[in-house]
Amino acid sequence: MASSGPNGTDNGDSLPPPPPVVPSDVVPVKAELEKKKALRLPIARRGLASKGTKLQLLTNHYRVNVANTDGHFYQYSVALFYDDGRPVEGKGVGRKLLDRVHETYDSELNGKDFAYDGEKTLFTLGSLARNKLEFTVVLEDIIASRNNGNCSPDGNGELNESDKKRMRRPNRSKAFKVELSYASKIPLQAIANALRGQESENYQEAIRVLDIILRQHAAKQGCLLVRQSFFHNDPKNFADVGGGVLGCRGFHSSFRTTQSGLSLNIDVSTTMIITPGPVVDFLISNQNVRDPFSLDWAKAKRTLKNLRIKASPSNQEFKITGISELPCKDQTFTLKRKGGDDVAEEEVTVYDYFVNIRKIDLRYSGDLPCINVGKPKRPTYIPLELCSLVSLQRYTKALSTLQRASLVEKSRQKPQERMRVLTDALKSSNYGSEPMLRNCGISISPNFTEVEGRVLQAPRLKFGNGEDFNPRNGRWNFNNKKIVKPTKIERWAVVNFSARCDTRGLVRDLIKCGGMKGIVIDQPFDVFEENGQFRRAPPVVRVEKMFELVQSKLPGAPQFLLCLLPERKNSDLYGPWKKKNLAEFGIVTQCIAPTRVNDQYLTNVLLKINAKLGGLNSILGVEHSPSIPIVSRAPTIIIGMDVSHGSPGQTDIPSIAAVVSSREWPLISKYRASVRTQSPKMEMIDNLFKKVSDKEDEGIMRELLLDFYTSSGNRKPDNIIIFRDGVSESQFNQVLNIELDQIIEACKFLDEKWNPKFLVIVAQKNHHTKFFQPGAPDNVPPGTVIDNKICHPRNYDFYMCAHAGMIGTSRPTHYHVLLDEIGFSPDDLQELVHSLSYVYQRSTTAISVVAPICYAHLAATQMGQFMKFEDKSETSSSHGGSGMPAPPVPQLPRLQENVSSSMFFC
């Protein structure tokens, strides 16, 4: 980047041009570097759009007034030590220590309040007396909160002899040193500047301090904190979703800079927690078994590690470190007893110790393993029935399909109910009492912000026989309509993996339904029923055997296989079956789990099959006539990019990057996908350009660009429109500078002279802005757009609800335009995004985010299934941070040529 002026703006011309001492065709190294360094930043808004019918709406943003803009936040680094100088490693003790500092040293702190992030940073409004301060504080209950108990609990919570001896050791210190050292200062003025659209580095820092104040406020009320969401320990917020897991309802609360000033965004939020109560009840529910004697203890050990329990009768809190190898009756430890001057040591079983020495009655623990709360070298065992899980502990593993369905059902709220809940949440949060906010002169309006939305008209659709249709309320159907571009289904067969169903009847109905929609379907070659002896075999074996059967009977490779699976959702056969068909044989396949088969069901299945085989179900009128602004005039490729990760609890599952691209320009309804694995949890796509030699690029983009060229009459795209999903604002610059650079390199590698223009748009779904119709029970109508008032003060963003929200409260998609070299007007751009919500071939509804992004999700999910069944056994033990190099990321198999450019993911 050219060097910055005094207030962080580019001077642009501050570097002199290099002297012309080199031949004119050689680029000097220095100039080359300078070209590299000019970082792209998100573009500013280009004005507001005006198309559509105006509609007054409310949104869950509350106006915030900041009276004190002269002050500064002072940032201090926090270091915590035991009194013998060792640093405090454990989390959780920090807040207790700083609360104690605040109580004890009020005058040294000039009576100041502070905002502490719970870790290593603290902020005050105005400075403290000195740049470095040291305090000593004492905590009484540190045994429970620190290593969470390395002592054998005594009957009444007293320490027994050996514990008292250990207390004299250095690691039992109850005194702590807290050091604060000045790090930087942040002007409150930065917030005011940001609201005027002049962003500086500090404004995000200043907003972060305000968010930390909200977190601290919630922590003082005993909430579980998950980033900016807060969860109270109140059973009426809990919903059981099965498997020992509860959905816990809480609130998201954060400050945002908007066009109309600072606002507080409050929304309902849900996180998953472990069901509190007896450990044994949780395990039985988690493993879905009848009694504790049927539990899989290896699995239990993984599930329980690091969870916090309270042990009765002492009520002390511990952290679970493991499970004993032997049952309680057989597990022994060395008990030290004092007799006179000498200490006698004897081996006793945990059971004897608790029942005979401690006189605690144990009903069923004798034959079950004990819970270990000690150190690896010094275990401390507690019988199972004395252990209860503490409330508000997050559950981070992936939910099963059933749990997810249950969670969605129990946590959704109609718009009116959500508005009421949010209004109550703001009242009960009592932010007015928070001293730090008061000192900043911050006051929060109690009312929802009013905004003006616009409702765009739905695009006209084209069906077969030249029929047109205008969707109503974001929906349409195929009753008495023909498909616009049907395929013919010939050379096909049915395989049935022991699904109970009238297969012949299903085939008859499918052929009849196809005929009505314009799809000619020949009689299938055969119906292959699974041999009963393989029904209990592993999924991969069942698929192998089925393929052997099919190959032995069919004269050649079929065009299409219809596969009947016995379970709806999550069938173990799905991944191996798809992999076999697509990667090994190049056969298009459709899986179904037929339960209630009616005309609607068969139509939906046929829409998927038709799209996979290269047909189109409906297209936009403007696509048929080609009259889409800009897109129809010059060859334009539309790209959707997404990375999907394992659940938060899975750290070693590769992330999957999927990129889909449009083909057969001027169409915008046909796509193909390229999917690769990459390092776990890595958000940037790293294989867009992958140069393996001077002539070879094995990256994703080359594959997609070549396909566009061959499918669009040997034309290179002049315009490249990129929709990127799932990146947060902090990563926008990486998308613009890392990913876009790779895409440009891939273009240059194909043709040095080719300079396509780019439009880069990020789509976000997991934000917390919702819209409501005042006085109406319904969600906002499909096609609603908002680009004013609560949007960004400088950047080019807008919210769109393209879909009809049928249940719960609609979640709009937040689109951020990071770059537009093509030159769309705001109206044309919003119209294009809206239209792309109507080209999704799998459904007869407008969808909530543009189709290319949905297709990228589908492609990533489907190819992720290829891997799921392969690594079940090896990767269950997680690779700890033991300094080992990360294992290489397993690669996905390549799809066969004849299906790789199909909509296999549809």
Side-chain angles (χ1 to χ4, degrees), residues 154-196:
D154 244 15
N156 52 5
E158 296 283 308
L159 299 178
N160 59 25
E161 275 310 307
S162 62
D163 292 328
K164 289 193 180 132
K165 227 186 238 96
R166 267 187 261 158
M167 283 294 295
R168 291 188 209 111
R169 294 200 190 141
N171 71 343
R172 275 284 150 219
S173 55
K174 298 161 88 179
F176 291 84
K177 273 213 313 257
V178 177
E179 282 181 8
L180 304 181
S181 26
Y182 170 77
S184 67
K185 67 178 186 177
I186 303 156
L188 271 164
Q189 186 63 40
I191 296 176
N193 294 348
L195 295 171
R196 288 201 300 272

Side-chain angles (χ1 to χ4, degrees), residues 698-728:
E698 287 181 357
I700 293 173
M701 286 310 300
R702 179 187 181 88
E703 189 181 318
L704 301 178
L705 291 167
L706 287 172
D707 175 78
F708 178 89
Y709 181 80
T710 51
S711 69
S712 307
N714 291 355
R715 291 187 189 84
K716 288 201 281 284
D718 293 351
N719 303 319
I720 298 183
I721 297 176
I722 297 167
F723 287 97
R724 176 69 160 95
D725 185 35
V727 291
S728 60

Side-chain angles (χ1 to χ4, degrees), residues 620-641:
L620 303 174
V622 288
E623 206 176 353
H624 180 258
S625 60
S627 56
I628 306 167
I630 299 183
V631 175
S632 300
R633 280 202 299 262
T636 300
I637 186 172
I638 298 176
I639 285 173
M641 312 201 315

Side-chain angles (χ1 to χ4, degrees), residues 470-645:
N470 288 320
R472 284 190 281 276
N473 195 27
R475 311 178 84 76
W476 61 96
N477 59 47
F478 274 94
N479 300 345
N480 313 320
K481 295 189 191 66
K482 295 262 196 288
I483 275 172
V484 70
K485 188 183 161 200
T487 48
K488 182 169 192 244
I489 303 178
E490 47 200 1
R491 301 200 332 276
W492 71 289
V494 182
V495 303
N496 180 9
F497 283 102
S498 310
R500 284 199 287 281
C501 124
D502 167 13
T503 320
R504 301 277 164 199
L506 177 77
V507 168
R508 184 188 63 234
D509 294 347
L510 192 70
I511 291 174
K512 183 169 147 231
C513 183
M516 290 167 68
K517 307 284 176 271
I519 300 179
V520 178
I521 308 176
D522 290 352
Q523 284 295 328
F525 182 86
D526 205 346
V527 173
F528 297 100
E529 298 284 348
E530 181 174 37
N531 183 332
Q533 73 186 72
F534 300 125
R535 198 177 299 179
R536 297 263 172 277
V540 181
V541 175
R542 292 174 70 179
V543 168
E544 281 294 340
K545 294 294 178 198
M546 181 63 89
F547 251 91
E548 285 168 18
L549 177 63
V550 173
Q551 278 176 297
S552 69
K553 297 278 172 60
L554 286 186
Q559 175 203 17
F560 169 69
L561 285 176
L562 181 67
C563 168
L564 311 188
L565 295 173
E567 310 94 350
R568 278 192 67 218
K569 303 277 184 207
N570 279 18
S571 169
D572 285 346
L573 292 159
Y574 182 88
W577 175 257
K578 287 284 182 189
K579 183 180 176 195
K580 195 86 177 149
N581 279 271
L582 297 171
E584 292 180 34
F585 288 94
I587 299 169
V588 174
T589 168
Q590 174 63 50
C591 294
I592 58 175
T595 38
R596 295 194 299 275
V597 177
N598 53 24
D599 192 57
Q600 178 67 59
Y601 179 85
L602 291 171
T603 301
N604 288 344
V605 169
L606 281 166
L607 293 181
K608 285 161 64 75
I609 295 172
N610 188 53
K612 286 176 180 181
L613 287 171
L616 281 170
N617 302 324
S618 60
I619 61 171
L620 303 174
V622 288
E623 206 176 353
H624 180 258
S625 60
S627 56
I628 306 167
I630 299 183
V631 175
S632 300
R633 280 202 299 262
T636 300
I637 186 172
I638 298 176
I639 285 173
M641 312 201 315
D642 177 52
V643 177
S644 56
H645 309 288

Side-chain angles (χ1 to χ4, degrees), residues 674-700:
S674 177
V675 185
R676 309 279 173 94
T677 49
Q678 55 187 42
S679 310
K681 306 281 186 242
M682 179 162 129
E683 191 46 71
M684 290 298 118
I685 300 180
D686 69 352
N687 274 325
L688 293 165
F689 175 64
K690 191 177 174 190
K691 189 172 165 182
V692 286
S693 74
D694 287 348
K695 294 276 186 289
E696 273 178 300
D697 160 22
E698 287 181 357
I700 293 173

